[in-house]
Amino acid sequence: MYFWDKHKTITTYYELLSGEVCDRYGLTQMEYDILMFLHNNPQYNTAAEIVKIRKSTKSHVSTSLKSKGLVERIQSKDNKKHIEIALLDQAEIIIEAGLNAQKQFAQNVLRGLTEEETRLCIRVFDKICNNAEE
């Protein structure tokens, strides 16, 4: 399938760039992805939200970054079952490197596109993803 084959090319390139960050800081791809997700989406800061949006496993989300000292779990005073995941200062250097990798990725894959073409690409990709979700 054309779309799937091309999607894999894009994913592979992203993993190449982010893999350099993972290697430098001793992270798995999943740990890196969760770390960057928490930074880029601070409103989704519970394991359940990350699992739902990223399609990850709950056990991986809850434990992977805690053991490396990059996040802390904060239990709600009102609801003992509600636990937020907060980034620690130690994660900042990794996040900075990750943001640089993401910026390089975006610049390279969108090279030559106008702003309107980029917006159209995002809209079309969102529709494709929504169709797949249904």
Side-chain angles (χ1 to χ4, degrees):
M1 222 175 126
Y2 181 80
F3 177 79
W4 184 248
D5 291 339
K6 294 301 180 180
H7 170 267
K8 286 183 178 183
T9 301
I10 294 167
T11 302
T12 300
Y13 178 56
Y14 180 77
E15 288 176 356
L16 174 74
L17 293 176
S18 60
E20 294 172 8
V21 178
C22 293
D23 291 345
R24 192 176 330 143
Y25 296 102
L27 298 174
T28 66
Q29 186 69 45
M30 176 75 80
E31 290 167 340
Y32 169 85
D33 290 341
I34 293 168
L35 188 68
M36 297 309 296
F37 179 84
L38 285 167
H39 174 76
N40 292 325
N41 304 279
Q43 71 276 25
Y44 303 116
N45 63 352
T46 67
E49 291 168 327
I50 296 168
V51 167
K52 181 180 178 186
I53 295 167
R54 294 222 12 101
K55 313 292 188 258
S56 305
T57 62
K58 190 171 183 180
S59 62
H60 208 125
V61 171
S62 297
T63 60
S64 62
L65 295 170
K66 186 176 185 230
S67 65
K68 298 199 184 259
L70 300 173
V71 298
E72 68 178 333
R73 298 172 70 200
I74 303 169
Q75 189 174 41
S76 171
K77 292 177 178 101
D78 301 331
N79 179 354
K80 299 289 185 199
K81 290 184 179 183
H82 182 82
I83 299 173
E84 294 182 357
I85 303 171
L87 294 170
L88 295 174
D89 291 341
Q90 296 89 312
E92 284 303 315
I93 191 165
I94 300 170
I95 290 169
E96 184 177 329
L99 290 172
N100 288 334
Q102 288 179 342
K103 182 178 179 182
Q104 181 182 357
F105 172 79
Q107 287 174 339
N108 291 344
V109 298
L110 300 174
R111 185 179 331 116
L113 296 180
T114 66
E115 279 189 44
E116 178 55 32
E117 288 171 329
T118 299
R119 284 192 297 273
L120 177 61
C121 213
I122 291 168
R123 283 197 311 267
V124 169
F125 191 72
D126 282 345
K127 283 184 180 182
I128 292 169
C129 291
N130 288 337
N131 289 342
E133 284 287 328
E134 292 174 5

